């Protein structure tokens, strides 16, 4: 018996004979038309049964949500809406689904809120929306690897458990095997981490950057693509406690090269999705348009999803220094009318997402790369500029998303880096290996981190980051 997937069948000629297709029943109409889906595509295959020739008890078990195997021949469809359908000769029930219970789940064929779908995250991938989002997520991940692998980068696996705080922000999840009720104590009464599994304090990584830098200093061009963890208490539609980050790191590359790389990379993966995920994007575009039409007119996105993606592909990202951005913001209407929650009155202010979105969505109306930020609002490893006030940092800002990429040229000068670490009160001993890089053949190098879920959000048009990762981890939530 030859098994076929739904996607294969929909692309086949009606002459295909004697095959079996397996999937989950979306609907069973008039005791005759089964809409079957196996997740290989957003489209269902219509399977037509001649109910006169089937056992009634068997037909009763073909219910929404059940898993079945259908054997038959492919024929040209009589009805509109599909080119081919399966003329069914045999149905086998693989797994029943009780209609009374299905009714209470998100498998029932009606519109469910995204909140409800989140509560049933174990079932939501069977809905059209989540099937589409997760197929896109997978394709985008493939495109990420394809981009780097075909451009001479090596995939580097940064450790998940580390002893350092790459961002110096202290937002880490501790990793420990000590008994929380009865931990060993030092003479001073503090928890004695020397007794812990690793013999020192350790945590889940917030970024693979520091380790990626060590590899860039040997393999020249590397990238990481793995999970990262932040214990920041941000309950927003853009933050997760566990998210996937892509971090290229490149030797002999300065900030301009870094900006070129970020722009080229982002455009490549978006183009890949546009070209390879047409059915899913068409569905998500329609979904988004419906959702937008329920918003007040002034909050609607001016472009349908695919037009927005094309717009990004066809326009250069605008490169603007932090100092220019502050001037624009200071003189902006919302600032003068005190509409910003955090008014901008002077150079040095940290930019909030309201400011980033103003620049991208109202002022420039295209993706923006901001660079040369004040040193004191950025991490310790960024290269100090001649003015000694700003660092070679860059953030890529996207419409509807805000910051999608954060990166920088790294401080490659031993003395400057050592001083910076001391000034910020970071324990130099923890970073001995990182400082070593600046002693043995140091070189200009740069890199960035792209939040994979924010990219998936942009491409799928999903408003909440919890809806672009299978099992979101957020404050007070680690269900499933
Ligand atoms: O700007 P961030 O904190 O930069 C770094 O971690 C650098 N070490 C990267 C590097 O230069 N190699 O984070 C980078 C990106 C952000 O722009 C954002 O897209 C994403 O990671 N990000 C998050 N995504 C989801 N949830 C969170 N809590 C995130 N925090 C950052
Ligand atoms: Mg950042």
């Amino acid at each position: 018996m030859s098994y076929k997937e739904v996607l294969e069948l929909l692309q086949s000629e009606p002459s295909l004979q004697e095959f079996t297709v397996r999937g989950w029943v979306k609907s069973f109409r008039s005791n005759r038309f089964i809409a079957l889906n196996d997740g290989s595509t957003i489209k269902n295959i219509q399977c037509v049964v001649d109910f006169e020739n089937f056992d009634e008890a068997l037909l009763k078990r073909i219910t929404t949500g059940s898993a079945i195997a259908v054997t038959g021949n492919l024929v040209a469809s009589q009805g509109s809406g599909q080119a081919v359908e399966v003329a069914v000769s045999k149905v086998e029930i693989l797994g029943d689904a009780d209609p009374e219970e299905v009714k209470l789940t998100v498998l029932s064929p009606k519109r469910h809120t995204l909140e409800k779908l989140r509560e049933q995250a174990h079932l939501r991938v069977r809905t059209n929306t989540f099937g589409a989002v997760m197929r896109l997520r997978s394709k985008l991940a493939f495109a990420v690897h394809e981009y780097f692998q075909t451009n001479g980068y090596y995939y580097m696996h940064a450790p998940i458990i580390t002893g350092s705080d790459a961002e110096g922000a202290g937002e880490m999840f501790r990793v420990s095997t000590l008994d929380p009720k009865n931990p060993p104590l030092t003479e001073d009464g503090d928890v004695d981490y020397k007794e812990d599994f690793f013999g020192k304090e350790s945590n889940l990584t917030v970024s693979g950057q520091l380790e990626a830098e060590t590899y860039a200093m040997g393999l020249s061009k590397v990238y990481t693509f793995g999970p990262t963890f932040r214990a920041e208490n941000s309950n927003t539609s853009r933050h997760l406690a566990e998210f996937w980050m892509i971090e290229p790191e490149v030797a002999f590359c300065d900030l301009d090269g870094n900006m070129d790389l970020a722009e080229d990379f982002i455009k490549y993966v978006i183009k890949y999705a546009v070209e390879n995920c047409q059915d899913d994007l068409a569905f998500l575009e329609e979904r988004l348009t419906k959702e937008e039409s329920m918003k007040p007119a002034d909050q609607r996105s001016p472009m349908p999803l695919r037009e927005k993606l094309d717009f990004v592909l066809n326009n250069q990202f605008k490169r603007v220094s932090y100092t220019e951005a502050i001037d624009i913001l200071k003189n902006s209407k919302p600032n003068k009318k005190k509409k910003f929650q955090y008014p901008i009155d002077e150079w040095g202010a940290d930019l909030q997402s309201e400011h980033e979105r103003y620049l991208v969505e109202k002022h420039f109306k295209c993706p923006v790369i901001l660079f040369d930020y004040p040193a004191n609002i950025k991490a310790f490893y960024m290269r100090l500029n001649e003015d000694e006030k700003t660092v070679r940092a860059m953030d890529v800002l996207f419409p509807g998303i805000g910051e999608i990429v954060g990166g920088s040229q790294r401080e490659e000068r031993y003395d400057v880096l050592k001083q910076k670490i001391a000034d910020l009160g970071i324990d130099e001993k923890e970073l001995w290996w990182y400082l070593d890089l600046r002693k043995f053949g140091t070189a200009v190098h740069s890199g960035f981190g792209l939040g994979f879920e924010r990219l998936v959000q942009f491409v799928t048009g999903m408003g909440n980051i919890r809806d672009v990762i299978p099992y979101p981890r957020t404050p007070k939530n680690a269900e499933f």
Side-chain angles (χ1 to χ4, degrees):
M1 176 57 61
S2 85
Y3 288 108
K4 297 283 177 203
E5 289 174 11
V6 172
L7 179 63
E8 267 182 289
L9 291 180
L10 291 173
Q11 292 167 348
S12 298
E13 292 300 318
S15 53
L16 199 70
Q17 300 278 306
E18 273 293 299
F19 56 83
T20 298
V21 54
R22 295 160 297 185
W24 293 272
V25 175
K26 284 274 180 175
S27 65
F28 185 30
R29 186 160 62 75
S30 314
N31 224 12
R32 194 172 176 81
F33 302 105
I34 306 169
L36 192 69
N37 190 279
D38 63 358
S40 58
T41 160
I42 191 152
K43 292 183 177 155
N44 305 325
I45 184 95
Q46 174 157 286
C47 305
V48 186
V49 288
D50 256 331
F51 54 82
E52 297 87 352
N53 305 330
F54 284 82
D55 175 31
E56 208 167 311
L58 177 86
L59 292 177
K60 275 221 168 78
R61 292 169 64 197
I62 305 174
T63 58
T64 298
S66 59
I68 64 171
V70 167
T71 303
N73 299 328
L74 205 60
V75 297
S77 178
Q78 318 272 300
S80 59
Q82 65 275 319
V84 289
E85 61 190 24
V86 181
V88 180
S89 55
K90 186 178 154 212
V91 176
E92 188 190 344
I93 309 292
L94 303 175
D96 290 285
D98 179 350
E100 287 307 309
E101 288 194 56
V102 165
K103 241 195 256 168
L104 307 173
T105 72
V106 298
L107 298 177
S108 61
K110 58 169 201 161
R111 281 192 88 75
H112 300 284
T113 63
L114 292 169
E115 287 77 16
K116 177 106 187 251
L117 286 155
R118 256 170 248 151
E119 288 164 15
Q120 296 181 26
H122 61 307
L123 297 177
R124 67 179 180 173
V125 73
R126 280 205 227 165
T127 65
N128 287 331
T129 299
F130 282 86
V133 169
M134 294 307 158
R135 276 186 296 272
L136 263 155
R137 185 180 165 109
S138 171
K139 294 284 183 196
L140 284 166
F142 176 77
V144 166
H145 285 295
E146 188 171 76
Y147 177 83
F148 288 117
Q149 294 286 340
T150 54
N151 283 292
Y153 289 73
Y154 292 104
Y155 182 26
M156 183 246 175
H157 294 109
I160 307 259
I161 301 173
T162 71
S164 50
D165 178 2
E167 290 303 296
E171 294 168 330
M172 297 174 300
F173 289 101
R174 185 184 300 287
V175 174
S176 172
T177 53
L178 295 179
D179 178 358
K181 287 199 198 108
N182 186 25
L185 300 177
T186 62
E187 277 176 11
D188 301 340
D190 298 328
V191 175
D192 187 2
Y193 289 105
K194 285 212 182 71
E195 300 282 311
D196 205 346
F197 189 91
F198 296 108
K200 60 180 286 196
E201 285 190 66
S202 55
N203 51 270
L204 296 178
T205 186
V206 295
S207 156
Q209 177 197 321
L210 305 191
E211 291 89 352
E213 280 185 58
T214 66
Y215 267 61
M217 285 297 142
L219 301 180
S220 283
K221 298 202 287 187
V222 299
Y223 69 105
T224 74
F225 185 178
T228 48
F229 307 85
R230 299 211 179 164
E232 51 188 338
N233 209 349
S234 307
N235 238 321
T236 79
S237 58
R238 311 270 175 268
H239 288 88
L240 290 167
E242 174 180 302
F243 64 100
W244 286 65
M245 186 151 50
I246 296 137
E247 297 184 272
E249 193 67 37
V250 190
F252 318 115
C253 174
D254 64 9
L255 193 71
D256 288 322
N258 206 26
M259 290 195 243
D260 293 343
L261 174 64
E263 182 165 347
D264 193 50
F265 164 60
I266 294 175
K267 284 179 169 168
Y268 180 89
V269 292
I270 293 178
K271 185 157 182 271
Y272 183 90
V274 168
E275 286 173 356
N276 292 281
C277 308
Q278 293 172 11
D279 291 345
D280 287 325
L281 282 175
F283 173 84
L284 290 167
E285 174 171 291
E286 203 177 310
R287 188 203 148 270
L288 185 63
T289 304
K290 257 186 234 155
E291 194 181 85
E292 291 278 312
S293 69
M294 290 184 281
K295 289 185 185 164
D298 63 327
Q299 286 170 31
R300 274 177 220 159
S301 158
M303 286 181 206
L305 183 59
R306 282 172 298 182
E307 203 177 311
K308 206 173 67 174
L309 300 180
D310 283 337
F311 181 80
V312 167
L313 295 180
N314 298 330
N315 286 282
Q316 269 203 313
F317 298 2
K318 180 87 188 155
R319 299 181 187 189
V320 188
S321 74
Y322 167 90
T323 302
E324 289 170 74
I326 286 290
D327 279 340
I328 293 166
L329 288 167
K330 248 203 289 197
N331 298 316
S332 70
K333 243 199 226 159
N335 201 48
K336 288 183 169 158
K337 292 192 167 167
K338 310 229 177 304
K339 289 274 163 63
F340 284 141
Q341 200 187 336
Y342 298 89
I344 298 282
D345 20 75
E346 57 188 312
W347 192 94
D350 201 356
L351 299 183
Q352 306 296 326
S353 82
E354 59 181 345
H355 309 125
E356 296 174 344
R357 294 186 63 167
Y358 173 83
L359 290 169
V360 172
E361 289 159 31
K362 297 282 184 319
H363 189 84
F364 291 109
K365 298 191 166 70
C366 71
V368 171
I369 309 183
L370 286 188
F371 61 92
D372 285 353
Y373 281 74
N376 59 359
I377 58 171
K378 288 289 182 187
F380 69 92
Y381 50 70
M382 298 188 180
R383 194 182 196 284
L384 197 61
N385 278 313
E386 305 290 279
D387 63 13
E388 304 214 335
K389 273 176 21 191
T390 59
V391 286
R392 300 246 78 191
M394 64 173 215
D395 276 4
V396 180
L397 311 178
F398 257 47
I401 303 287
E403 179 190 336
I404 193 162
V405 159
S408 63
Q409 184 174 323
R410 318 307 189 188
E411 184 54 77
E412 85 286 10
R413 297 165 297 183
Y414 181 82
D415 295 333
V416 181
L417 182 61
K418 201 170 144 87
Q419 189 58 48
K420 199 97 174 278
I421 289 174
D423 290 348
L424 290 170
I426 302 169
D427 186 1
E428 191 190 299
K429 283 201 261 11
E430 294 291 321
L431 290 173
W432 64 273
W433 50 276
Y434 189 69
L435 278 160
D436 255 8
L437 292 182
R438 279 73 183 166
K439 280 186 3 198
F440 306 117
T442 194
V444 165
H445 64 288
S446 303
F448 62 81
L450 173 126
F452 186 54
E453 284 73 21
R454 293 193 187 173
L455 173 73
V456 181
Q457 268 192 288
F458 183 73
V459 173
T460 59
M462 298 301 282
N464 195 315
I465 199 163
R466 292 166 178 77
D467 299 328
V468 297
I469 187 165
Y471 295 103
R473 274 35 180 144
T474 51
K476 303 273 178 281
N477 173 40
E479 188 72 27
F480 305 102

